[in-house]
């Protein structure tokens, strides 16, 4: 009320000639003041909004920092665990290298022993066993094959050789007899008997391990060998057959007399 009275007093004090101009100036000043106040308020509102945005960004950054600190702590744990694993792996590699150095001579010795075993046994599947020995020697010498794989291959060869002892098998082959080369059916009975018979059954024989050669058999064994070949080829049921097998030797081989006897053999796909 006082402001209004003062304004009226001022207006009353203004001469009439200048009243209109002065009033317009006062109005313009008031409008300017209001505009300035409005602009000032807008700046204040803008600053308040910026402050709120800055505070929200600050809180967001704080949460992000907390998350990063937790993540870094987890990463440090993982790095420490990886360092332990790396040390363990390096130790394993060092031990594996030492094992490799010790295993290689053993593998070479095992391959040589396998080759000696093949050389002194009856000559069944000669090409297959010869190729297996060559493959083993090549595998053991290769640098791009791990020691574990080399050992597995050598062990597989021994297992394959072991399986021959309790199986029978028939296959075709060309052998050299006293009458020259013949295309024959070869019968293997485990690791103790090796026989042949021509397709027309006119010639039947066996491998004489003592003499190291094929020798003919009498006609009394023709049907037995023929039936055994059929059993091996799964063309007939197992039956009791008569085939010549090596005579058992006593423990002291030097005092034994080598020979063969006509023994009854149950050819059931199993011979050792």
């Amino acid at each position: 009320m006082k402001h209004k009275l003062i304004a009226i007093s001022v207006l009353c004090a203004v001469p009439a000639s200048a009243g209109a101009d002065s009033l317009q100036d006062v109005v313009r000043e008031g409008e300017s003041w209001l505009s300035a106040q409005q602009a000032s308020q807008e700046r204040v509102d803008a600053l308040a909004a910026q402050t709120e945005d800055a505070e929200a960004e600050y809180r967001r950054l704080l949460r992000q920092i907390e998350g990063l600190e937790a993540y870094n702590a987890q990463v440090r744990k993982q790095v420490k665990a990886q360092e332990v694993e790396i040390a363990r792996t390096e130790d394993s590699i060092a031990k594996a290298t030492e094992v490799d150095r010790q295993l290689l001579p053993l593998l070479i010795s095992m391959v040589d022993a396998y080759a000696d075993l093949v050389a002194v046994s009856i000559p069944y599947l000669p090409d297959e066993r010869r190729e297996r020995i060559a493959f083993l020697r090549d595998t053991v010498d290769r640098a791009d094959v791990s020691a574990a794989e080399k050992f597995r291959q050598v062990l597989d060869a021994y297992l394959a050789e072991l399986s021959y002892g309790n199986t029978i098998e028939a296959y075709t082959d060309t052998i050299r007899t006293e009458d020259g080369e013949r295309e024959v059916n070869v019968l293997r009975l485990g690791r103790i008997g090796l026989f042949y018979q021509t397709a027309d059954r006119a010639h039947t024989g066996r491998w004489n391990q003592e003499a190291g050669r094929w020798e003919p058999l009498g006609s009394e064994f023709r049907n037995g060998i023929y039936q055994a070949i059929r059993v091996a080829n799964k063309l007939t049921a197992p039956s009791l057959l008569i085939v010549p097998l090596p005579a058992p030797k006593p423990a002291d081989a030097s005092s034994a007399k080598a020979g063969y006897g006509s023994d009854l053999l149950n050819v059931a796909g199993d011979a050792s």
Side-chain angles (χ1 to χ4, degrees), residues 7-43:
I8 292 172
S9 299
V10 172
L11 290 175
C12 291
V14 175
S17 58
D21 292 338
S22 298
L23 182 59
Q24 290 178 355
D25 290 340
V26 170
V27 171
R28 282 195 296 270
E29 286 296 329
E31 290 177 347
S32 298
W33 181 83
L34 290 174
S35 297
Q37 287 293 98
Q38 184 177 1
S40 178
Q41 185 63 43
E42 289 176 354
R43 286 195 298 274

Side-chain angles (χ1 to χ4, degrees), residues 100 135 137-150:
D100 287 351
F135 171 76
R137 294 194 188 282
D138 177 68
T139 300
V140 170
D141 291 340
R142 287 176 58 178
D144 59 336
V145 180
S146 66
E149 178 62 17
K150 293 176 182 179

Side-chain angles (χ1 to χ4, degrees), residues 203-220:
H203 301 277
T204 301
R206 67 180 175 189
W207 174 260
N208 188 324
Q209 184 68 6
E210 295 288 338
R213 66 173 184 271
W214 294 99
E215 62 182 19
L217 287 174
S219 59
E220 67 272 19

